[in-house]
Amino acid sequence: MTTTISRRTLLAATAAGAFVAATRASFAQDKPTIRMSGPMTPTDQRAVALTDIFGPAIAGFATFEPHWNATLFKQGTELAAIARGNLDMSVTSAQELAQIIPDWSIFTAGYLLKDAAHQVKVFNAPFMDAMKKGVEDKLGVKLLSVMYLGRRQLNLRQSRAQLDVKTPDDLKGMKLRMPGTEAWQFLGSALGANPVPVAFTEVYTALQTGAIDGQDNPLPTDKDSKFYEVTKQICMTSHLCDQNYIAFSKKLWDKLSPADQATLQKAADDASDSARQAQLKLESDLAQFFKDQGLDVYEPDVDAFRKHVQAAYLSSDFSKSWPKGMVDQVNAL
Ligand code: KDO
């Protein structure tokens, strides 16, 4: 026996279905969407951890919506976007914070932070409370956790046979791409080079066309962004043990219940811990990978670089804005 559904019944069923979907959607809309913008690729370990760990961990009360490759906001404009209420989250840096709050330039100084564990100890140290409060008060941004980016190395278009880098003198006249903020440009000069500002998403093309002579990033970034395809050497200066901070809208944070705040904080910590372990593993494996790709990978006179860079910072205006005694507190951890 076949049953025929009348047109009226079919229309009623469709309308009911639409009503249920709309209601569910409106319930879904009650959960805030956390829009995040970052210049990193979706395959960068920090992005993978945010997508695979952070997003699912907060899914009970919020929808995580990441935008990678700086497709939503240009690199370096995210903090202002959060402050204006146009963005909820980013992965920021001391170099970006220092543009607005000069104290943060202490963490842009080469050869200060020692390693990933030191970064975590510093971020959680009591003397950082005032620094974090300053960011909340001035920018409406809450720094949730520290992410390990890696030790920054020189990555050059010339082979070692063409340019064997031993000391900062060997970088004289080199067009070394550094990110656009003043603190980054200063680091490029402190290394002995001529810093050239280029956005992260433009670096590959700038290397390919010869617009720049080289760039500096940790080994995992050089792999993930395929910079090794358009460069011939990696000179292991380890000039900055680099880090980022998960930056979150204070306005959005304050709207969450204490329970959801705790869940979100744990999600940020878990994602940062996972990404840190992944980056460290990559860092230990990648020197051989780049050698297999035909790049020269070697150490320069690191002491010569350390002395040159530290002297440049200590005689700079930057160091005048560092909180009194904080260098000693950082070194003591
Ligand atoms: C870069 O532009 O070289 C840099 O490494 C700077 C970091 O602070 C961070 O913005 C990073 O790019 C991006 O997350 C892409 O890895």
Side-chain angles (χ1 to χ4, degrees), residues 39-40 44 46 75 93 149 152 177 179 184 200 217 244:
M40 67 287 276
D44 176 286
R46 292 161 295 155
Q75 180 183 30
S93 63
L149 187 55
R152 295 182 82 94
R177 177 269 174 184
W184 280 120
F200 180 75
N217 255 290
N244 289 130

Side-chain angles (χ1 to χ4, degrees), residues 38-56:
M40 67 287 276
T41 69
T43 51
D44 176 286
Q45 292 309 316
R46 292 161 295 155
V48 168
L50 286 167
T51 304
D52 293 354
I53 297 173
F54 179 82

Side-chain angles (χ1 to χ4, degrees), residues 243-277:
Q243 58 181 5
N244 289 130
Y245 307 103
I246 296 183
F248 196 81
S249 160
K250 182 83 173 57
K251 202 162 61 181
L252 183 48
W253 172 269
D254 290 343
K255 284 184 189 150
L256 298 175
S257 67
D260 289 347
Q261 288 175 344
T263 304
L264 191 127
Q265 179 63 60
K266 184 176 184 311
D269 290 337
D270 292 350
S272 298
D273 291 347
S274 170
R276 183 176 306 112
Q277 297 318 316

Side-chain angles (χ1 to χ4, degrees), residues 17 20 25 35 65 67 80 97 106 112 118-119 134-135 143 149 156 198 240 245 253 274 278 307 317 322-323:
V20 168
R35 290 196 320 157
E65 182 192 289
H67 296 262
L97 290 165
I106 187 171
L112 179 66
H118 189 220
Q119 290 177 353
V135 177
L143 300 180
L149 187 55
L156 310 179
V198 177
L240 182 71
Y245 307 103
W253 172 269
S274 170
K307 285 194 181 74
D317 286 345
W322 296 350

